[in-house]
Amino acid sequence: MDRTLVLLKPDAIQRGLVGNIIGRLEARGLKIVGLRFLQVDRPLAERHYAVHQARPFYAGLVDFITSGPIVALALEGRNAVDAVRATMGATDAAKAAPGTIRGDLGIDLGHNLIHGSDSAETAVNELKLFFPEGLVDYARALDGWITEA
Ligand code: IDP
Ligand code: MG
């Protein structure tokens, strides 16, 4: 099983879409193994988005992710990284396919509601950043109904 980091960005919280978005990810079969509601400070934002440091939108991105509280989620499941990315939809919500989180709930490139790790390697590092205390291991009775052994 793989794990991945999801952030519900400040627009998702301000728009009251937390339950809707987490509900979609849970319904996909992904298991919550970490959950935090927090205000991201600039040092954390800068570490999380370090890969985009040279991009013209970097300053705006750091401003946005620190503009209000967020929800950080650690999700576990088969191919969790790809499953979350597909469920999120394209980066530009205006172009994201209907049926995806961004395609159903957003219409903007910057205010696109959700972050998901883009590779298994990135996920390990991003999970450490947002869940330094580690994640919660547990079994669910329904796991055998979601993925065949
Ligand atoms: P992703 O969130 O789909 O992985 P990335 O390319 O990693 O997309 O970009 C990180 C975030 O930066 C995006 O989610 C979006 O909010 C923002 N972003 C990406 N490209 C642009 C851009 O060209 N202009 C403004 N914001 C951008
Ligand atoms: Mg990305």
Side-chain angles (χ1 to χ4, degrees):
M1 286 295 163
D2 306 306
R3 286 173 166 177
T4 190
L5 177 80
V6 166
L7 303 179
L8 308 190
K9 298 182 181 182
D11 53 336
I13 283 71
Q14 296 298 325
R15 293 179 54 201
L17 294 172
V18 170
N20 183 316
I21 295 172
I22 294 179
R24 288 165 182 250
L25 296 165
E26 271 191 303
R28 187 83 203 263
L30 296 160
K31 180 162 81 175
I32 298 171
V33 291
L35 181 62
R36 286 181 70 195
F37 184 72
L38 71 151
Q39 172 68 50
V40 175
D41 59 20
R42 296 192 80 83
L44 177 58
E46 286 166 4
R47 284 183 71 188
H48 175 67
Y49 281 129
V51 65
H52 297 304
Q53 207 166 357
R55 312 285 282 280
F57 57 84
Y58 173 73
L61 190 54
V62 171
D63 284 346
F64 175 50
I65 204 71
T66 56
S67 66
I70 67 151
V71 171
L73 276 166
L75 295 177
E76 182 180 284
R78 185 174 294 164
N79 300 319
V81 170
D82 291 342
V84 166
R85 295 285 299 183
T87 304
M88 282 164 45
T91 303
D92 184 352
K95 296 179 184 148
T100 64
I101 290 165
R102 287 164 167 168
D104 284 352
L105 304 176
I107 199 156
D108 189 68
L109 170 56
H111 289 189
N112 61 1
L113 299 161
I114 183 169
H115 165 87
S117 307
D118 63 11
S119 73
E121 194 189 9
T122 310
V124 170
N125 292 322
E126 292 184 348
L127 286 167
K128 272 195 217 140
L129 211 49
F130 282 88
F131 294 94
E133 73 283 12
L135 302 171
V136 181
D137 277 313
Y138 66 103
R140 296 186 302 185
L142 57 67
D143 284 338
W145 293 98
I146 291 173
T147 42
E148 269 188 286

